[in-house]
Amino acid sequence: MDTWQDLTMLMEGRLAEVTSGERKVFAADVAERLLTWHEALPEDDQVPFTLSLRPLLDSVWEGVLGDTTAFSAVKQGVAEYMLSEYCHNDGQDGPDDADEPAAAAVLHAAHAYLFGCSDFALWAGRRAMEAIDQRLEYLADQDEDADLPDSDEAMAAELQRQLRDLDLIAGHAEELRHSALGLPVDASIRLRAELRTPLSSQD
């Protein structure tokens, strides 16, 4: 069985090879899973800033699946973050809300949509890795007797999930290659069912 370190190298290679359109969907996919998990936490464990990013991620999804009108909403959402107190260079002296894994993944996904480079998609994937220990710790707190995988196994499972997601996305590579220029409405609706729905699954 490949270690998570081996799978990380494989993932980095795959993201460098795929099209910009595929990378954008991948970043949205990772952000969706992290945000959905965060939204399911008890209210006391949720971060308001993270929750506030749901409209931005929904706009990212519309954009990566071929709706060019979403560009303005994503641009505005990123600009609002950049002008907020959460975007700062104060290190530990500033608010860390935007460093919460789901929030950071959504922001990376938005940048991936706007600019298309592989780094933002890669960073979104890494946020899912960083969230592993946080999730395992949370689940252990909920049930001390829970039979949880160790951190290395969980990270390998997350990377295997990401690679499977890339395989699914690759099946639509030709169509996604043109998504930045806009796709017909019926194509966007179909891609929502064929990509967003299965990719968003927590299974």
Side-chain angles (χ1 to χ4, degrees), residues 144-180:
E144 294 181 358
D145 297 324
D147 184 18
L148 300 174
D150 68 28
S151 180
D152 286 352
E153 291 175 351
M155 286 193 289
E158 169 61 28
L159 285 164
Q160 289 166 345
R161 166 66 189 262
Q162 292 183 19
L163 288 165
R164 290 195 303 271
D165 287 353
L166 276 176
D167 289 339
L168 176 61
I169 296 167
H172 301 271
E174 188 58 34
E175 205 164 18
L176 292 173
R177 187 184 302 273
H178 308 291
S179 61

Side-chain angles (χ1 to χ4, degrees), residues 43-188:
E43 186 175 350
D44 289 345
D45 296 324
Q46 296 174 344
V47 179
F49 176 73
T50 299
L51 298 179
S52 76
L53 295 175
R54 166 52 70 185
L56 174 59
L57 182 55
D58 287 341
S59 294
V60 169
W61 271 115
E62 294 302 311
V64 301
L65 297 181
D67 181 357
T68 57
T69 65
F71 184 88
S72 293
V74 176
K75 180 179 66 173
Q76 180 175 339
V78 170
E80 289 174 355
Y81 158 69
M82 296 292 288
L83 294 172
S84 75
E85 63 180 324
Y86 302 112
C87 181
H88 60 82
N89 62 352
D90 297 325
Q92 295 183 348
D93 293 329
D96 61 359
D97 303 59
D99 197 41
E100 189 279 321
V106 172
L107 293 169
H108 289 322
H111 282 82
Y113 166 65
L114 293 176
F115 304 110
C117 60
S118 61
D119 283 346
F120 291 117
L122 181 62
W123 293 336
R126 286 179 179 171
R127 285 297 183 164
M129 301 295 292
E130 293 172 9
I132 294 296
D133 285 336
Q134 176 181 316
R135 181 174 299 191
L136 291 177
E137 181 179 345
Y138 176 82
L139 294 174
D141 288 342
Q142 297 299 111
D143 183 358
E144 294 181 358
D145 297 324
D147 184 18
L148 300 174
D150 68 28
S151 180
D152 286 352
E153 291 175 351
M155 286 193 289
E158 169 61 28
L159 285 164
Q160 289 166 345
R161 166 66 189 262
Q162 292 183 19
L163 288 165
R164 290 195 303 271
D165 287 353
L166 276 176
D167 289 339
L168 176 61
I169 296 167
H172 301 271
E174 188 58 34
E175 205 164 18
L176 292 173
R177 187 184 302 273
H178 308 291
S179 61
L181 301 176
L183 296 174
V185 173
D186 59 340
S188 292

